[in-house]
Amino acid sequence: MVECRPMLVMPDMSRALGSDLRRLLREEQIKDDLPTRTAYAVDASIYRIEPRAVALVESEDDIHRLLRYAVERGIPLTARAAGTNLTGSAIGSGVILDVSRLHRILEVNREEQWARVQPGIVLAELNKHLARQGLMFGPDPSSGDMCKLGGMLANNSAGPHTLRYGAVKDNVENLRVCLSSGAWLNARAYAVGDPAAAAVLSDHAAINETWSLVRGHADLLEQKRPRVSKNSCGYNLFGLAEGMSQGRIDLPKLFIGSEGTLGVFSEATIRLVDRPRATLTALIHFKRLEDVGEAVPQLLELSPSALEVMDANTLDLIGRSRHGIPADSAATLLAELDDDDGSVDLHERAERMAAVCRRYPLASAVVTAYDPEQREQLWKARKALYPTLYRFDPRKKPINFVDDVVVPAVRISELIRYLEEFFGSQRVPVAIFGHIGNGNAHIVPLLDVNDERDYDTMVRGYHEIHRTVLDRFGGSICGEHGDGRVRAEYVPAMFGPELYDLFVKVKRSFDPSGVLNPGVKISDRPFTEHIDYTRLSKSCATCAKCNAVCPVYDVFRSEDMSSRGWFEIVTDKNYSYLNSKRVVEACLNCKSCRTACPAGVDVSQLILDRRAEHPNALAGLIFRFHAQTKRFAAFLKILARLQPVWDRPVMRRLIDVMSRPLLKYLSPSARLPVQIALPKLASRQLRDRHAHLVPSASQRSTVAYFHGCAANYFDDGVGDAVIAVLRKHGVVPDLPPQRCSGTPIETYGHRELAKEGARENLRSFKAYDTVVTGCASCTLMLRDYPKLFAGEPEEAAAETLARRVRHISEFVAQSSIRPPMAPAASVPRTVTYHSSCHLRAAGVTKEPRAILNSLPGVRFTEMPDADRCAGGAGTYLVKDFETSQQIVERKRQAVEHSGADLVATSCPACMIQLKTGLPPAVEVKHVAQVLLDCYEAAERQDGEPAP
Ligand SMILES: Cc1cc2nc3c(=O)[nH]c(=O)nc-3n(C[C@H](O)[C@H](O)[C@H](O)COP(=O)(O)OP(=O)(O)OC[C@H]3O[C@@H](n4cnc5c(N)ncnc54)[C@H](O)[C@@H]3O)c2cc1C
Ligand code: SF4
Ligand code: SF4
């Protein structure tokens, strides 16, 4: 067999390589420290290879220089976008060329329906932008929240809606490709005989050679062309041959799916489609698997845009009760129908679909949804399926090694039956799901690859299943995920030696020095090489879903500054606080990763665990003083009285400069920036203003208000509003003695001090039936006390308290009293909601929105990115003001786009951050304040004085 091996002249030391690269690009764009190399050693596959260095390219020039350097020195170069591929194609031993900073949409043509985009843009971000013009990019991998265009192009990605829109290869006009020859190519379709085609052939020897190969082997290509509806295995010489028969040199077809082995893309012109006007999603639970196969051809007659299946094992593994799936469902089908222009009666189509399905025994009635939010719910389990499987067993993990086969759609039940028997006979749990309309099945057995028996099952299954797919089903071993490292070994078996030889020749023409992603697609290395046995015993699926919500990754676009990267770094055997302090201290502890993770991993907690090993000394001093509640309160009262003096611009500038030498012990970038819109400190604090609510000896109410630090010390009206709202709902709360809930204390590594305060809170709130909170972070922290005391004597008390905690919005939602409301002059007409991360993590998302939606005279508008961190995160504004301002910029744009005059939220840090980052014309208030304004307006209307 012919192997395309790189001629590698590796520098002895990665440092030498790093120095070279720093001369080529800016210093800040090159990273070769241990945390970076650890973070980039993985993608979403089963493999691990540590690179020597990472380059964060920002221009075509950067790509060109790096590629030239790699070719001259014989250093492997692996292009990488989001690193969500499942095949090991975005990791490599040399330099990783990360395109994430090339993330702009360069042009959108609404009329002609195309866009020019850079490879680092995330699919979901692109579609969010296009939605404003009623457009979208058709191919929709389930990883669309996190994967980027560069990876989609290089993998020829597809997804549930490929049934309607095709794969990526069917939706691209042009690619800008940097070739290893140093030339740039506009890879579009050229008419044969056109002078432009002649120029391309004469300018690029590799194109000329490949074109000659295709012309000389048209019969072979026709004979070997996969006869199934999807294929991403090998190079798509079939696409070139098909173009040739129509008089075109269709170059995008060659590069799409080439997995970074033929060149690096800097830009693509993609075709867009209109967003359907309305869509119906249906969930159908079949009692017998074979009926699904029979129903599919009939359902296809209704022109569905998506047709997805999950088999019985998959339903068991993801938890039937969690997703409302009947116990006797043998397979669940997810179908979608579109109405593009109002000409399709979706209800009638839904009825026809249900009629087809009712010919077979169903486990329950067909569930239909038209509303986008409900439809999203139906898709949720399917989209997060693979990482969700990580929850199943601490040892047995879903292993992608036969994950992407394609058979004729009508034979999908037969394939599933075969696979269930294959794995069933070995007692191996397996999830089988996928795009049934295309006959594309994702097969994910759960194995402990560190166990010899399971390892053997994997190797045997790899060969036996792929062979069966080829011989018995006439299928393909790869529909959409790419060959990568996992299928490269089997590409020759799929196409035979003659055609494989053509692939090798193509690879050599484009990459004679073998530096472009060696080991991927064209390689004779066994698929078991580079398996990451250590990682496959950990809890993270490396799916990168958390990166998509991590505000730090959003700013730095570098894997070492991301949630997934941090998981790798803090769980690595070579981790030490000293070598990783830079990254461990960069997390905001916003908890967005925890909310997003389908596998149940809490990266923020792992980081807090590491910080707890090195508590910050200065923060310790501050928090110990803070813990002396009376003294601290007295100190803040003095500061409050002096605020008119120190809170003037000149003084604030002075404080900004003078605070740095001290605050550097908190963090090198810490300061008290002059720009922060500091709230007014209260000289009469909440507990003084409401002294009659502070129980002297015994409790007086069944409801307590946990006001936290901010509501007590700030004179911002939030605490008063919460108490007043409670009163309107017939409750006079107690304000029992309380300490800081603990969030900021734990953030600086002082877990024991946080526990000390938490113990006091447990005692103080023990007897109350309900503990109301107004602050997002306090809500989450109190609900998290059981984790703080896991395995300790306080755990049971912590669980009791956690169950009793109600955010004020939840309290209002559950209250039987409905006080009258009226439009309030103090509440502007258009209101949007910023969903604080900690409140989301505490599970409170709907109630604040329901309140805002119910306000009379107010138009509630959902802003884009409402669920994204605003960058305040406790004291992060002080710790790293510059990064926090880069984070809030996205929020500023979202608020502007929403057109709202008021942003309602629930967290004091978010309120400070929003007041600092938003234009002064936009008001920021707590949800309770806005609600109270409307209650009081109604009372004024009725002539009743507001209390
Ligand atoms: C939970 C989950 C669900 C998934 N579902 C699907 C699915 O439904 N359908 C599907 O097709 N895939 C799916 N995938 C696989 C993967 O997400 C897709 O293939 C995705 O398109 C890869 O994009 P990426 O940005 O992560 O690329 P990466 O993983 O970074 O890279 C993929 C390949 O592209 C190359 N590459 C990246 N950028 C460039 C560039 N600028 N120039 C040249 N080469 C480049 C890399 O070298 C690599 O070979 C899923 C993955 C996960 C984790
Ligand atoms: S922590 Fe969770 S979301 Fe993040 S990569 Fe791991 S499994 Fe995926
Ligand atoms: S807590 Fe926030 S900043 Fe930290 S890793 Fe998670 S998402 Fe990123």
Side-chain angles (χ1 to χ4, degrees), residues 79 81-85 89 142-143 148 151-152 154-155 157-158 259 265 480:
T84 68
N85 75 84
S89 62
S142 305
S143 51
K148 297 175 183 169
M152 289 178 66
N155 268 8
S157 295
E259 300 178 38
F265 314 147
E480 56 184 26

Side-chain angles (χ1 to χ4, degrees), residues 741-759:
S741 65
T743 309
I745 305 172
E746 212 194 359
T747 304
Y748 285 96
H750 292 278
R751 188 165 287 163
E752 281 315 311
L753 195 56
K755 278 184 173 175
E756 186 190 297
R759 278 190 200 99

Side-chain angles (χ1 to χ4, degrees), residues 274-339:
D274 284 318
R275 294 184 85 81
R277 216 192 220 192
T279 300
L280 152 80
T281 306
L283 204 58
I284 310 143
H285 304 293
F286 283 83
K287 275 191 174 172
R288 292 190 316 224
L289 177 64
E290 46 276 30
D291 294 342
V292 176
E294 264 194 42
V296 163
Q298 301 167 62
L299 293 172
L300 285 174
E301 284 172 19
L302 296 170
S303 310
S305 56
L307 207 51
E308 298 282 301
V309 73
M310 290 179 269
D311 81 328
N313 275 340
T314 309
L315 301 174
D316 291 341
L317 289 168
I318 61 171
R320 289 172 186 260
S321 53
R322 259 177 78 199
H323 298 285
I325 298 159
D328 55 347
S329 175
T332 289
L333 213 61
L334 199 60
E336 206 150 85
L337 295 167
D338 290 337
D339 170 25

Side-chain angles (χ1 to χ4, degrees), residues 642-751:
L642 295 176
Q643 190 158 9
V645 181
W646 59 258
D647 203 359
R648 289 160 185 253
V650 182
M651 287 298 284
R652 287 286 304 277
R653 239 171 264 139
L654 210 62
I655 293 171
D656 186 338
V657 177
M658 286 172 53
S659 62
R660 294 176 200 211
L662 176 66
L663 292 182
K664 75 171 186 218
Y665 294 104
L666 215 53
S667 146
S669 53
R671 63 191 175 98
L672 264 175
V674 59
Q675 298 93 332
I676 294 185
L678 280 182
K680 202 167 166 299
L681 292 175
S683 44
R684 276 194 79 216
Q685 294 167 350
L686 187 83
R687 297 181 72 82
D688 303 328
R689 296 197 298 277
H690 298 272
H692 56 290
L693 300 181
V694 176
S696 44
S698 59
Q699 75 178 93
R700 284 177 297 205
S701 173
T702 55
V703 178
Y705 172 32
F706 188 95
H707 47 66
C709 306
N712 189 30
Y713 300 137
F714 295 165
D715 194 9
D716 59 2
V718 172
D720 305 284
V722 172
I723 293 171
V725 166
L726 287 173
R727 281 180 186 272
K728 305 284 177 213
H729 285 265
V731 169
V732 180
D734 275 2
L735 306 186
Q738 49 195 277
R739 288 265 297 268
C740 170
S741 65
T743 309
I745 305 172
E746 212 194 359
T747 304
Y748 285 96
H750 292 278
R751 188 165 287 163

Side-chain angles (χ1 to χ4, degrees), residues 11 22 25 116 120 139 143 146 165 225 235 250 303 317 443 476 492 591 607 737 746 761 812 829 845 853 860 891:
R22 282 186 188 92
L25 272 63
R116 252 179 352 107
S143 51
M146 55 269 196
Y165 301 111
R225 183 171 56 80
Y235 290 127
D250 198 350
S303 310
L317 289 168
I443 307 156
S476 165
K591 310 271 186 212
I607 291 173
E746 212 194 359
N761 291 333
V812 168
R829 268 189 48 75
T845 56
N853 244 324
F860 171 65
K891 192 62 67 173

